[in-house]
Amino acid sequence: MTVDVADALARLALRLGGEGARLADAGRLSGGASMETWGFVIEVAGGREELILRRRGAPFDPDNARSIRLATEAALIRATGARGAPVPPVRHICDETDGLGEAYVMGRVGGETLGKRIVSDPRFDAVRGGLARQCGQVLAQIHATPPPPDLGLKTVDGLGELDRYEEVYRATGAARPILELAFQYLRGHVPDPVAPTLLHGDFRNGNLMFDPDKGLVAVLDWELSHIGDPAEDMGWICTNSWRFGRPDRPVGGFGDYADLLAGYAAAGGRAVELSRVRFWQMLGSLRWGIMCLTMYMSWANGTERSVERPMIGRRVSETEADLVVLLEQGL
Amino acid sequence: MITHPRTEELAQAVAAWIDTIRPGLDPRNAFLARVAANALATVGRELTRGPAAEATAAAAMAQVLGHGGPHAELNAELCARIRSAELTVATPGLLAALRTMASDQLAIDQPSYRPEGTPPPRP
């Protein structure tokens, strides 16, 4: 079914803004084949409201999808926001009358999400030193949020993730000695189980919105949220593929481990050992390497035709270059 | 080898042409055009550096495995012996060999990437 999104947004403007409300500046901002992001404005007599529509453009397969339903995503944003985490305000969860399929509307938050700018643009020089601590505080708020009931979030742990990614890796038919060694090493270093918490699941530089004065202002892209080891979220933002050319600053390319952990503890998070974060960081590099292989495979088997896909396959070597150093250093 | 032009020069010429038309493209195609130009740059690097990188990798793997052979066979055997845990991070020479292989591959795929352990850029 093809949806005329602009047309549906005009009707939604009336529903949300009331009689006389008018749609303005509607346009697609970004997104891949499956997830769309639209910016739009509702103009009413008294002013204007800047909004974002997030909608699924392709059918959702709950059995095989790694991602969660958009209504679940919106519920998690509301729940973590209520605990103090900086998130965009959810304005409306779309239903059948909106004719937009699976979608929700949130308020537009101003700020920067491009990772490269956060780590190197002089506009962020003043706040950069405090960002790792802020990330730790916000993660503690997210992890302390009781997951709203009946959302059906998946629970994962280190060993389960290794099994899952190894299965994907074997299915690609690739023969990569460094990935083999990373699997073997990580299997021998799975940390002891901890009480699982709500996780963002994709907490990294690039999915976070930063303001040059206030620092972290919004945690975005909740679609991979699940239940698991709190150190998973901490390790993912430390994975070098998301440091944008600043491997000397392990947290997102802008900060140090100690600040992340101190911010987490200061906001009431349970004590987390650095080696546990490093386990998930290393698994993060391995995971990203396997994801790059999968994106190449989607081109090789004809599912996707974009030139972007095979080129992402050539990013496996960045994760191998990182993994070999982590294997030398040890956890 | 065919010269005048060499293969990498053909790739270079096409990449340069893509760059000239990029400004006139819509944002999505401008992005894909940049990816396409990068792909051709990778092809160019692989054509010039690939054979030496493969020979170095084969020599490094032969050292660890204790015998020589074609690159693909050595690579498959190395994977199998790591998977069976016969080779580990403690195996003398293994990590050094893997580091050389990773670094040569990265120089072809993404020379601007700064791996884990790289010191900060000079101001």
Side-chain angles (χ1 to χ4, degrees), chain A residues 92-134:
Chain A
H92 173 70
I93 298 173
C94 295
D95 55 31
E96 278 179 19
T97 59
D98 294 318
L100 281 160
E102 209 191 322
Y104 69 92
V105 177
M106 55 189 156
R108 188 168 192 155
V109 180
E112 181 63 71
T113 57
L114 285 177
K116 183 80 194 163
R117 294 205 186 137
I118 315 297
V119 304
S120 59
D121 191 320
R123 286 192 305 136
F124 290 93
D125 284 355
V127 291
R128 194 174 293 116
L131 297 182
R133 187 179 172 88
Q134 232 180 342

Side-chain angles (χ1 to χ4, degrees), chain A residues 9-241:
Chain A
L9 282 177
R11 288 196 303 276
L12 185 64
L14 279 174
R15 182 176 180 187
L16 298 182
E19 206 175 323
R22 209 174 66 83
L23 172 72
D25 302 336
R28 185 160 172 186
L29 298 178
S30 67
S34 64
M35 199 63 76
E36 300 177 4
T37 307
W38 294 70
F40 66 106
V41 174
I42 297 179
E43 290 181 340
V44 292
R48 50 190 272 125
E49 193 178 4
E50 293 190 23
L51 297 166
I52 298 285
L53 172 81
R54 195 159 149 78
R55 81 178 281 271
R56 195 181 304 280
F60 182 60
D61 174 1
D63 292 332
N64 295 311
R66 183 71 174 155
S67 58
I68 55 177
R69 288 191 179 278
L70 285 175
T72 306
E73 194 174 306
L76 290 174
I77 291 173
R78 280 179 168 157
T80 52
R83 301 288 297 208
V87 288
V90 175
R91 176 77 165 77
H92 173 70
I93 298 173
C94 295
D95 55 31
E96 278 179 19
T97 59
D98 294 318
L100 281 160
E102 209 191 322
Y104 69 92
V105 177
M106 55 189 156
R108 188 168 192 155
V109 180
E112 181 63 71
T113 57
L114 285 177
K116 183 80 194 163
R117 294 205 186 137
I118 315 297
V119 304
S120 59
D121 191 320
R123 286 192 305 136
F124 290 93
D125 284 355
V127 291
R128 194 174 293 116
L131 297 182
R133 187 179 172 88
Q134 232 180 342
C135 285
Q137 288 168 335
V138 168
L139 279 176
Q141 291 168 324
I142 293 170
H143 297 167
T145 307
D150 305 326
L151 289 184
L153 295 175
K154 293 187 172 87
T155 300
V156 310
D157 60 17
L159 199 55
E161 287 293 89
L162 284 168
D163 286 344
R164 197 167 71 83
Y165 283 108
E166 185 161 350
E167 191 183 329
V168 174
Y169 164 71
R170 299 281 167 223
T172 67
R176 313 285 293 224
I178 295 171
L179 303 188
E180 296 281 356
L181 191 60
F183 276 118
Q184 185 218 89
Y185 181 87
L186 287 169
R187 282 187 183 283
H189 290 81
V190 176
D192 295 333
V194 283
T197 66
L198 177 68
L199 303 182
H200 176 272
D202 203 4
F203 194 89
R204 64 169 177 87
N205 192 3
N207 289 336
L208 305 172
M209 186 168 274
F210 293 97
D211 176 274
D213 299 315
K214 292 177 270 185
L216 180 53
V217 289
V219 181
L220 310 172
D221 293 318
W222 288 75
E223 67 188 83
L224 297 177
S225 185
H226 57 271
I227 310 282
D229 183 342
E232 182 189 333
D233 272 345
M234 302 167 112
W236 188 230
I237 197 176
C238 295
T239 298
N240 191 41
S241 288

Side-chain angles (χ1 to χ4, degrees), chain A residues 170 175-178 180-181 184 240-241 243 245-248 281 306 308 311 314 317-318 322 324-325 328, chain B residues 28 31-32 38-39 42 46 75 79 82-83 85 87 98-99 102 105 109-110 113-116 120-121:
Chain A
R170 299 281 167 223
R176 313 285 293 224
I178 295 171
E180 296 281 356
L181 191 60
Q184 185 218 89
N240 191 41
S241 288
R243 292 186 204 157
R246 290 306 300 260
D248 54 308
Q281 177 193 323
S306 166
E308 200 187 352
M311 265 309 267
R314 285 296 181 107
S317 54
E318 83 181 35
D322 288 332
V324 79
V325 175
E328 283 171 343
Chain B
R28 178 71 187 154
F31 167 73
L32 292 175
N38 287 342
T42 302
E46 184 154 340
N75 189 65
C79 284
I82 292 171
R83 189 180 177 185
L87 305 176
L98 294 178
R99 187 191 254 272
Q105 179 78 43
D109 290 340
Q110 214 187 156
Y113 186 79
R114 302 168 60 82
E116 189 80 52

Side-chain angles (χ1 to χ4, degrees), chain B residues 1-121:
Chain B
M1 174 183 300
I2 299 171
T3 64
H4 303 78
R6 300 187 308 274
T7 325
E8 62 267 30
E9 289 174 313
L10 287 176
Q12 194 183 1
V14 179
W17 170 74
I18 291 173
D19 279 336
T20 65
I21 63 159
R22 262 175 53 204
L25 300 174
D26 64 79
R28 178 71 187 154
N29 278 312
F31 167 73
L32 292 175
R34 188 157 57 88
V35 175
N38 287 342
L40 288 168
T42 302
V43 170
R45 286 190 297 270
E46 184 154 340
L47 285 165
T48 50
R49 310 180 63 141
E54 190 169 305
T56 306
M61 289 190 287
Q63 189 93 40
V64 174
L65 296 172
H67 65 83
H71 180 277
E73 283 174 24
L74 294 171
N75 189 65
E77 182 183 339
L78 188 60
C79 284
R81 287 170 68 176
I82 292 171
R83 189 180 177 185
S84 69
E86 184 192 330
L87 305 176
T88 72
V89 287
T91 304
L94 177 61
L95 283 170
L98 294 178
R99 187 191 254 272
T100 302
M101 290 157 66
S103 149
D104 286 355
Q105 179 78 43
L106 189 64
I108 290 168
D109 290 340
Q110 214 187 156
S112 64
Y113 186 79
R114 302 168 60 82
E116 189 80 52
T118 312

